[in-house]
Amino acid sequence: MAAKDSGAVAPAPPAPPAERPIRAAEVVGALSLATDLGTGQPLEHALRTAVLAVRLGELAGASAKELADTYYVALLHASGCTSNGHEAIQVYDDDIAHRAAFFLIDSTNAAEVLAFYRANIGAGRPPEVREALIQEAIANAGPRAREGFATMCEVAQRFAGWLELGATVQAALEYVFARWDGRGFPDAQGDAIPVPMRLLHVARDISLFLSAAGPDEARGVLERRTGAAYEPRLAAIALRNFDELLSELDETRMWEQALELEPFPQIWIGDERVDAAFTAIAALTGLKSPWLREHSTGVADLAEAAAWRLGLSPTSVAFLRRAALAHDLGRVGVSNAIWEKPGRLGFGEWERVRLHPHFTERAFAQSRELASIGVLAGSHHERLDGSGYHRGTRAPGLDQAARILAAADCYGAMREARPYRPALDAGTAEADLLREAAEGRLDPEAADAVLAAAGHRVQERPRDLPSGLTRRELEILLVLVRGKSNQEIADDFHISAKTVGHHVQHVYEKAGVRSRAAATVWAFEHDLVRAG
C-alpha cells in the first residue's frame, strides 16, 4: 500500500504534450547543457558558442547553408567528449576536471602539455606512481590523443546522423580538434577544414576564455593563435569586431538568445525522429561508463511495458518512454571516479550522486517543449515516503508515470552489475523490489507491473483503502474530485441523486471533512488520485 502523507497537496504534474513537432535546436540545446556539465564548463558555454559562431559567420559573409551548419556544429561539438570517461579516470582520476583544463592549453606547446600532465595526471596517487603515469602519457601522447579525438568526433557525428541534421553537419564534426596549421586531428589544414568548423574554433575559444579568464585574455588568445589554431581572416574579423561579437550576451537569457539566433529554415523533428533523438541521448549516457551501457534503454523498455499493463494512454506511454531514455543524462555531470568506485561513497561523493537527477531535470528545464519530460525524468529516485532525491517528493506529488519510472529504474539497477556488487539474480531482485513497495517507498502497483514486464509471475493484489472506504465510495469520491455534481454522478452510475448523497455523506464522515474541497485534498493526501 502506498505511504500516506499529511502534507500539503502537491501541484498536479505536467500533462504529456500532444504529439507535435519539436525544434531540433531544443533537443540539441538540452544535450549541450548536459555536455557542458560533463566537460566542466558553465551551462551556457555551448549555447554561447553557437551565438558567437553564427555572429562571426554573418560578419565573415558565410552562406545561409554554412550558417545553419555552424549553428548545429557549435551545439554538438562537445557531445562526444564524455565518451571516454572510463578510460580517462585510469589516468586522471577525474574525467571532468582535466577536460576543462585541457581546453585551455595549446596542445602543440610541449611546455603547456607537460604542465597539464603534471597538474592533472594521477592526482592523489603516490609520487612514484604519478611519475610513471606521466612518463607513459608523454610516450604515448600522439596515438592516445588521436584515438580519443577520433572517438569523440565519431560520437558527435552519430548523434547528428540520428537527428538527420544533414551530411554537411556530420562531415564538419570530423574536425572538432583540427587546426588551421594542420597540427591537430585529423591532419587536414587550411581550406580543407569546413567553414562551419573554422568558425567554431574561433567562437569556442572565445567562450572558453571568457569564462576562464575574461574578455582581455580571450582577445589575447585570438591574437597569439592566429594562423596556427585559427584561420587568419576569421581571427582578424573576430578581433576587429570583438566588442560587437560580445555585445548583449546575456547569461540569464542564453537559451532564448541561442534559439532566437537559429538560422532559417529552422529544423523541426517529430514522431520517430523525436524517439530516435531520445534513444541517442540514452546511448550517449551509456557511453559514460561500461557499467551503464544498457541501463537507460533497459529501464525504458521496462517502464513502457509496465505502463501498458497499467492502462496508461498511448500518449502517456510515449512520454514516459522518452523520459526513461533520458533519466540518467545528468550522470555525465558527475565524475566516473564516483560512478566506478568499488567501495563505499563518502559524504561529498554521495552528495554529488544525489545531484544527477537534478542535472537531468535542468538540462531540459529551459525548453518549453521538453521541460515536462525533464521533470518526470528527474523524478526517478523519488520515493513515496519522501526519502528519495533530489526533491524529496512524497506520494501526493508523484503521478503514476513517476512511480513506474522509479520502480523500473530500481529493478533495472538491481539486475545490473555495479563496481561495488555483482548483479542480483531475478529472485533476489524481485524480493528486494517487493520489500521496497511493502515498506512504503515504491508504489506496489508499479512494482508489480515492472516485475510482470520483466517476466516474473505476479499475483494480483487488492488495494487497501483508507478509513474503511468501500470500493463504491472510492468511485464516488474520484468522480466528485473531478467536480461533478450529485446529479451528474447519479447519471454516470445509473443511481438516484439521493443515493449519491448518502455515499458522499459517508465519504465525508470517513474522511473527517465537511466539504468537497476538503474531500479532494484528503483524496490527494491518501494517494487516491492517480494520473493516467
Side-chain angles (χ1 to χ4, degrees), residues 163-378:
L163 280 174
E164 299 180 17
L165 295 177
T168 49
V169 171
Q170 286 183 263
L173 287 167
E174 179 78 16
Y175 300 88
V176 173
F177 300 98
R179 290 168 54 99
W180 178 258
D181 60 9
R183 299 179 66 189
F185 172 85
D187 295 330
Q189 66 183 81
D191 291 339
I193 302 171
V195 169
M197 193 53 69
R198 286 182 251 162
L199 292 166
L200 168 77
H201 291 154
V202 176
R204 176 195 61 196
D205 286 1
I206 292 175
S207 181
L208 286 170
F209 284 93
L210 276 176
S211 296
D216 290 343
E217 180 60 15
R219 187 193 300 267
V221 167
L222 288 187
E223 292 171 344
R224 293 192 296 273
R225 298 183 184 179
T226 293
Y230 321 124
E231 177 185 349
R233 183 181 74 91
L234 293 180
I237 293 172
L239 288 167
R240 189 165 59 248
N241 299 277
F242 194 78
D243 293 337
E244 180 181 348
L245 282 174
L246 270 58
S247 67
E248 298 181 4
L249 287 178
D250 184 351
E251 294 180 2
T252 65
R253 291 192 64 257
M254 195 55 65
W255 176 271
E256 290 84 358
Q257 286 188 324
L259 261 63
E260 289 166 1
L261 201 67
E262 180 185 4
F264 284 92
Q266 296 171 345
I267 299 176
W268 293 77
I269 59 176
D271 300 329
E272 293 182 0
R273 288 178 68 190
V274 176
D275 292 332
F278 278 91
T279 301
I281 289 173
L284 288 171
T285 303
L287 288 175
K288 174 71 172 170
S289 169
W291 302 94
L292 305 171
R293 288 289 188 259
E294 299 177 358
H295 179 69
S296 294
T297 51
V299 170
D301 289 344
L302 282 174
E304 179 181 16
W308 285 121
R309 288 176 181 274
L310 291 175
L312 272 68
S313 69
T315 298
S316 295
V317 173
F319 181 79
L320 172 56
R321 179 173 179 82
R322 290 171 185 174
L325 288 168
H327 79 278
D328 260 354
L329 179 60
R331 280 186 183 261
V332 302
V334 179
S335 173
N336 275 38
I338 293 176
W339 297 127
E340 301 185 18
K341 185 175 180 178
R344 293 175 63 86
L345 298 181
F347 174 77
E349 293 168 327
W350 181 241
E351 287 304 303
R352 292 294 297 176
V353 167
R354 290 169 62 89
L355 281 173
H356 83 270
H358 170 71
F359 291 156
T360 295
E361 181 175 339
R362 297 313 300 169
F364 296 99
Q366 299 286 338
S367 168
R368 282 179 292 183
E369 292 294 331
L370 302 176
S372 55
I373 289 180
V375 171
L376 176 55

Side-chain angles (χ1 to χ4, degrees), residues 286-492:
L287 288 175
K288 174 71 172 170
S289 169
W291 302 94
L292 305 171
R293 288 289 188 259
E294 299 177 358
H295 179 69
S296 294
T297 51
V299 170
D301 289 344
L302 282 174
E304 179 181 16
W308 285 121
R309 288 176 181 274
L310 291 175
L312 272 68
S313 69
T315 298
S316 295
V317 173
F319 181 79
L320 172 56
R321 179 173 179 82
R322 290 171 185 174
L325 288 168
H327 79 278
D328 260 354
L329 179 60
R331 280 186 183 261
V332 302
V334 179
S335 173
N336 275 38
I338 293 176
W339 297 127
E340 301 185 18
K341 185 175 180 178
R344 293 175 63 86
L345 298 181
F347 174 77
E349 293 168 327
W350 181 241
E351 287 304 303
R352 292 294 297 176
V353 167
R354 290 169 62 89
L355 281 173
H356 83 270
H358 170 71
F359 291 156
T360 295
E361 181 175 339
R362 297 313 300 169
F364 296 99
Q366 299 286 338
S367 168
R368 282 179 292 183
E369 292 294 331
L370 302 176
S372 55
I373 289 180
V375 171
L376 176 55
S379 70
H380 64 280
H381 280 293
E382 301 293 347
R383 297 294 182 260
L384 300 182
D385 62 357
S387 64
Y389 57 91
H390 63 290
R391 305 185 208 97
T393 307
R394 290 180 176 270
L398 298 172
D399 70 352
Q400 194 170 26
R403 295 160 188 242
I404 294 170
L405 179 57
D409 175 66
C410 193
Y411 181 85
M414 289 175 180
R415 296 287 283 134
E416 298 161 2
R418 292 291 182 261
Y420 50 87
R421 61 153 175 82
L424 303 187
D425 61 58
T428 303
E430 178 181 8
D432 285 358
L433 196 74
L434 290 175
R435 183 170 58 252
E436 289 291 300
E439 294 177 358
R441 288 182 288 276
L442 293 177
D443 180 82
E445 289 184 356
D448 285 350
V450 166
L451 288 171
H456 295 264
R457 298 182 66 180
V458 178
Q459 291 185 344
E460 185 175 351
R461 68 175 87 198
R463 187 180 183 193
D464 295 330
L465 298 176
S467 301
L469 210 65
T470 67
R471 304 302 300 182
R472 174 46 63 98
E473 288 165 354
L474 173 62
E475 293 173 349
I476 297 292
L477 172 61
L478 293 180
V479 180
L480 180 149
V481 164
R482 298 187 184 100
K484 289 196 173 185
S485 67
N486 284 12
Q487 186 59 58
E488 289 172 323
I489 296 173
D491 293 341
D492 287 346

